[in-house]
Structures are given as C-alpha cells and as structure tokens.
Amino acid sequence: MRRIRFADDEPVAIETAYVNYAICPGIEAHDFAVESLYDVLAADYGVHVGHGQERISIARATSEEASLLQVEEESPVFFERAIECQADGVPVEYLKAVILPSRYRFASNGCENGSRPKEVKSSWLTW
C-alpha cells in the first residue's frame, strides 16, 4: 500500500507499507482511503502490533518523490524504515517512508503503541 500523507493540505510524506499477507489474507479488498490499516488488522484479523523498530536517516528526494511532495529534486528528506511485529514477534508490517523535515516533526510520548499515558505525574525540584 502506498499513500501520501498531508498536513494542512500540503504533502508531508510518502509511505509504502508491506503487510504480512499470511496473517491477513484478503486484506486487499479493503479501501484504505477510508479505512485505517491498524483498525482493519485488529477488527478483521485479530492482529495487534506489540512492538517495532524504526530507523531514520537523511537522504535526498528522487525526481518521483519530489514531484509527489511538491519540492525540488534532491531536497533533503528523512528516510524511515520500520518493521512492526505482534507481541509474539510475528512481523505485521514493513514500512518505508520519505518525509519532509520542513513540514513534519517527530515526537514520542514513550508509551506503548503511542497511546496516551493514563496519568502524568511530574515533580519540581527546588534549587
């Protein structure tokens, strides 16, 4: 599955996802223009991502990527590779993404699957 991600009507990333067909046969019948991949995996196949690994490097946009992202060829981009697995280690998804650093920011809340923490505690130190 290949898609372009938008923010404020501007393209920010190109994602190409490869899904483990052995654990979700027939998944190509879904319309991912209106359905969430992870929602379909959970609801229709009982597949839940338990953990993953991501690597991000710096690259330059190819002519095709530049055209899709509406930037000049050779513009700097982040190149992300990720593999997402079920808790038992079975691979679910392999992802490649080309991301515009000028339009995209990375953040992590440190929680499993990016979920919101149930309670946030903080303490102040006085010096």
Side-chain angles (χ1 to χ4, degrees):
M1 171 174 42
R2 190 170 192 210
R3 60 185 163 190
I4 299 174
R5 295 269 192 188
F6 287 83
D8 297 328
D9 295 322
E10 288 190 294
V12 296
I14 303 165
E15 293 181 350
T16 305
Y18 301 89
V19 180
N20 182 350
Y21 195 77
I23 60 174
C24 54
I27 196 165
E28 73 279 2
H30 288 271
D31 182 359
F32 292 106
V34 295
E35 295 181 87
S36 159
L37 173 61
Y38 280 24
D39 287 351
V40 168
L41 288 170
D44 290 11
Y45 301 98
V47 172
H48 301 276
V49 171
H51 60 87
Q53 289 184 334
E54 297 178 356
R55 293 180 191 252
I56 299 172
S57 58
I58 301 201
R60 299 238 176 238
T62 65
S63 61
E64 179 189 17
E65 294 162 349
S67 176
L68 292 170
L69 294 170
Q70 301 171 5
V71 295
E72 291 185 26
E73 187 175 347
E74 297 289 317
S75 291
V77 294
F78 290 128
F79 182 75
E80 176 186 16
R81 288 186 188 163
I83 186 156
E84 305 295 340
C85 299
Q86 296 182 102
D88 62 3
V90 173
V92 174
E93 173 192 30
Y94 173 70
L95 174 79
K96 294 190 304 183
V98 175
I99 304 160
L100 286 176
S102 61
R103 299 181 192 159
Y104 198 97
R105 300 291 181 261
F106 290 96
S108 173
N109 62 12
C111 295
E112 186 174 331
N113 288 332
S115 61
R116 292 179 158 260
K118 292 180 183 168
E119 183 179 333
V120 176
K121 294 182 179 181
S122 61
S123 59
W124 293 89
L125 297 175
T126 305
W127 300 96

